Structure formats: structure tokens, C-alpha cells
Amino acid sequence: MTVSSYIPSAYKNTLQSGSVTWQSPSNIALVKYWGKLEHQIPANPSLSFTLNNCHTKTTLSYSEREENSVDTFSFEVYLDGVLKPDFAPKIEVFFKRILPYVPFLTDYHFKIETQNSFPHSSGIASSASGMSALALCLMSVEKQFSSEMTSTYFNEKASFLARLGSGSACRSIEGPLVSWGKHQQIKNSSDLLGVKYEAEVADVFKNYQDTILLVDVGEKKVSSTVGHSLMNGHPFAERRFQQAHENISKLIEIFKTGNLDAFIEVVESEALTLHAMMMTSIPYYILMKPNTLAVIDKIWEFRKATGLHVCFTLDAGANVHILYPESEKAEVLEFIKTELVAYCKNQQYICDQIGLGAREIDS
Ligand code: PMV
């Protein structure tokens, strides 16, 4: 697929008003996207588990504008029923970027009503689930203009658009495993969009669990945009980008064999490398908190003592995602409740697991 394949030809149908609703999940990267080129092209390929319970539900209502203006947008955004003017700049940038591919954007007034299944101030990024839900809503509108659109094109273009809103959002359309960024061993992999991982995956990964410990809640200290730009001119950038390719190659083999010890090594190393990149950039940041390190220590101790396959990964923040096979759920949840909850803000944690992707909801 090339960029031009997402520029639609003249629409056949006309539409006055209506509304569409999508529910789209968050995702957690096993191999991290960190560093980007122009137009949201990733500096390295990434691979993620799609989540199930952490999601955003968005309703997009559209009504034809009386006078459309070629270069202005008309929209309002609500979170949990409350008007959010502070969300508008991000949506404005998103709309500007995608206008060549979604030319009807200037013809309508849009009401965007959104809600997250996780608390807004939990420190869980809602950009992946939020931008993918919005991109899917726009595709549902576009589908009404061109009824012969295939579901493959629908999903591909939704991912392509979501990427232009927030890079990792392109991995939230499908599941359970999605890669984004060209990788030699992944068929159809692309820098432009996320693709469902279709190669062999051992059963143990099919219902993998992710319990998210909310170690530090609130706004992110380093925005994604700033974070990715830290990789420009970073002394270790080229080696890191190459390492991401190597780690995906390792995971391809691990998914086939179900080797959980090897899985743990790749996943934890990726998480710590992401934070190492932030600690060694200029300016430098430490996004982990003392409790993040305490939790990591506890996980390592517990794993050594029990031989269970529990491991951690991190986002660009202090929260800890604890990953483990479903067969070990009872023991790991007991460990979390007795040993780890104390390190969470207000004892908060979220139980999630690998999911199958976004779904349309009847409006
Ligand atoms: O999609 P963005 O621009 O918010 O970047 C996400 C970056 C990480 O969450 C740290 C890694 C990833 O691949 O999701």
C-alpha cells in the first residue's frame, strides 16, 4: 500500500447527518516504538498486544454545514458528557494531517463524544484508544459514501489514519498481536499502518494477562512528541533502532515455540531500554518512580522463588504492566494483592488481557 491509495476518488453517495460509534482498545508494546521521522513514520518497527478492557468509546455525530469552508473545521469534543475545549488543538492537528485522505472533514460539523473505560487521570495513555476510535468512526462515515469498500481497506485505512493522530494508535484496530513498521520477516509489514500478526503463535500467548499497576497517576511528564524527538541525534539511536529489529526477530521465534523465559528476557529488556534511552538523551528524564523500581524488584524476587512466568513492561511513565500466562493467574493475582498493591497510588490496579481489537457499536 502507498499513501496515495488512501486518497479517495469522488464520493458516489451524499449524506446529510448521522452518527456512528466505535469502541477501540489500548495496546501495550512488547517491542517499543521510540523515535520517529516526518509524517509519523516510525524510526523502528514495534509489536504489541492489543488489550481488551482498557478502551475508548467514541460517538461521532455529523451534520452537513450550510457553508463549507475549504480550510476550516467545525467540531466540538466531549469527555464523559463534559465539553473539552482543551482537547480541540490535538484534534485540529489530526484533522489537518488527514484532510487529504478524508476530504469530507470540512463539509460537516462534528460532535465527538468520548469516554474511557479507565480513569482519565490514571496515567494510562488514552491517545492510542482515542485516536483509533475516532479514525474508525471517520471510516464508518466514509464507508457510507462508497458502499463497495472492502473490510480490508476499511481496517487498513483506519490504521493509516490513526497513525497520523498518534503513532501507537495504528496498532489498536485489530488484535491480538499487531506490528507496525517495516520488518524483513513480517509479511506485509509497513511503516504506514499496523498489521495483524498472522504468523504462528503458541497457545500460551493467546490469552495472556496484563495487570496494570497505577504507580503514578496524572498527566505525563514528557509528552510523546517531546519523547520521540529525544531520539533525534541521540548517541545510541542507530544501535537502538537496529536492536528493535533484532528483538522482533527473536519474538517471531518465541511466538512459535512458546519459550516464556526467552519472552521475558526480550520484553523486560525492551522496557528498560526505552527508559535507558530517556535517561541518556539531552535533556534527560527519569520517568520511573521509586515504587516502579520496588515493583520490578519484587517481580524478580517472586519469579526466582516460584518459577512462575511473570514479567513486566513499561510505557513512557511510571506505571507497570505485569504480563503473565492465564494458567498462572490465580498465583500472580494473589502476589499482586498481597505484595504489590501497596506500591500503587490509592491501591489502584487494572486487570486486563489480550484482546481482539476494535468493534462498532450500534448507535
Ligand atoms: O503513540 P505515541 O506517540 O504516544 O508513542 C508511544 C510510545 C510508547 O508507548 C512508549 C511505545 C509504544 O510503542 O507504544
Side-chain angles (χ1 to χ4, degrees):
M1 278 290 178
T2 58
V3 168
S4 57
S5 40
Y6 300 113
I7 299 178
S9 36
Y11 294 127
K12 290 195 182 123
N13 308 335
T14 53
L15 277 181
Q16 277 181 338
S17 63
S19 82
V20 290
T21 301
W22 275 87
Q23 180 175 301
S24 191
S26 187
N27 68 75
I28 180 68
L30 304 172
V31 172
K32 311 287 180 184
Y33 149 57
W34 198 242
K36 64 177 164 186
L37 316 174
E38 238 194 318
H39 307 302
Q40 301 273 99
I41 297 299
N44 64 261
S46 56
L47 185 74
S48 52
F49 273 156
T50 303
L51 295 183
N52 192 57
N53 304 337
C54 289
H55 55 72
T56 298
K57 193 167 121 186
T58 296
T59 296
L60 180 73
S61 309
Y62 52 94
S63 48
E64 215 170 10
R65 284 162 85 180
E66 289 186 355
E67 267 179 58
N68 59 1
S69 163
V70 179
D71 53 4
T72 66
F73 303 112
S74 174
F75 65 88
E76 54 198 315
V77 198
Y78 295 81
L79 175 68
D80 298 327
V82 179
L83 187 64
K84 285 281 182 189
D86 48 321
F87 284 14
K90 204 165 178 192
I91 306 278
E92 181 88 25
V93 169
F94 177 49
F95 278 8
K96 264 193 199 137
R97 281 191 194 149
I98 64 172
L99 184 60
Y101 315 104
V102 192
F104 64 80
L105 277 179
T106 47
D107 299 342
Y108 291 88
H109 173 74
F110 295 100
K111 183 175 181 191
I112 304 163
E113 292 168 284
T114 189
Q115 60 198 77
N116 298 322
S117 64
F118 44 89
H120 182 56
S121 61
S122 62
I124 296 186
S126 57
S127 58
S129 52
M131 284 298 176
S132 53
L134 184 53
L136 285 156
C137 286
L138 290 169
M139 286 310 295
S140 279
V141 180
E142 180 169 313
K143 192 169 164 35
Q144 296 178 58
F145 285 116
S146 41
S147 23
E148 71 276 11
M149 187 188 290
T150 64
S151 59
T152 306
Y153 182 86
F154 185 102
N155 278 349
E156 283 182 4
K157 185 166 170 182
S159 177
F160 172 86
L161 296 177
R163 183 195 103 244
L164 292 168
S166 172
S168 58
C170 78
R171 299 188 312 239
S172 275
I173 308 294
E174 295 187 89
L177 275 161
V178 176
S179 76
W180 166 41
K182 190 78 201 134
H183 187 277
Q184 224 187 351
Q185 284 169 270
I186 302 183
K187 214 171 125 212
N188 299 329
S189 59
S190 164
D191 286 344
L192 297 179
L193 57 128
V195 295
K196 187 171 162 181
Y197 184 77
E198 303 276 16
E200 195 184 338
V201 177
D203 284 345
V204 68
F205 293 113
K206 294 194 175 147
N207 42 17
Y208 231 70
Q209 305 291 304
D210 179 4
T211 301
I212 308 160
L213 303 188
L214 305 181
V215 169
D216 189 37
V217 298
E219 283 293 301
K220 283 205 266 180
K221 212 162 72 180
V222 180
S223 73
S224 272
T225 314
V226 171
H228 289 290
S229 72
L230 297 175
M231 291 306 279
N232 298 332
H234 191 293
F236 307 134
E238 285 316 311
R239 185 62 192 92
R240 158 61 197 154
F241 300 147
Q242 195 187 330
Q243 181 198 41
H245 284 265
E246 293 159 8
N247 280 343
I248 289 185
S249 296
K250 286 183 187 169
L251 279 185
I252 291 170
E253 193 53 31
I254 290 166
F255 287 143
K256 256 193 250 168
T257 58
N259 181 344
L260 292 185
D261 293 331
F263 176 77
I264 289 169
E265 187 175 278
V266 171
V267 168
E268 292 191 345
S269 161
E270 272 291 320
L272 294 177
T273 300
L274 169 70
H275 282 258
M277 289 299 112
M278 279 179 260
M279 289 187 209
T280 49
S281 55
I282 302 287
Y284 38 81
Y285 295 96
I286 301 182
L287 300 185
M288 287 189 265
K289 294 283 178 198
N291 280 353
T292 313
L293 290 175
V295 165
I296 291 174
D297 236 14
K298 285 275 177 193
I299 291 172
W300 285 346
E301 268 172 29
F302 177 76
R303 192 163 75 217
K304 200 162 169 206
T306 61
L308 293 174
H309 299 93
V310 55
C311 73
F312 71 88
T313 188
L314 306 165
D315 265 336
N319 294 336
V320 184
H321 288 248
I322 304 191
L323 304 178
Y324 49 98
E326 201 201 18
S327 58
E328 299 178 5
K329 190 170 170 176
E331 294 97 319
V332 176
L333 279 180
E334 187 55 30
F335 160 62
I336 291 172
K337 279 183 207 150
T338 53
E339 304 255 356
L340 300 185
V341 157
Y343 299 103
C344 301
K345 272 264 148 72
N346 305 322
Q347 314 213 333
Q348 289 183 91
Y349 64 95
I350 297 174
C351 292
D352 209 336
Q353 60 184 4
I354 198 162
L356 295 178
R359 64 188 178 91
E360 187 163 16
I361 313 269
D362 277 342
S363 284

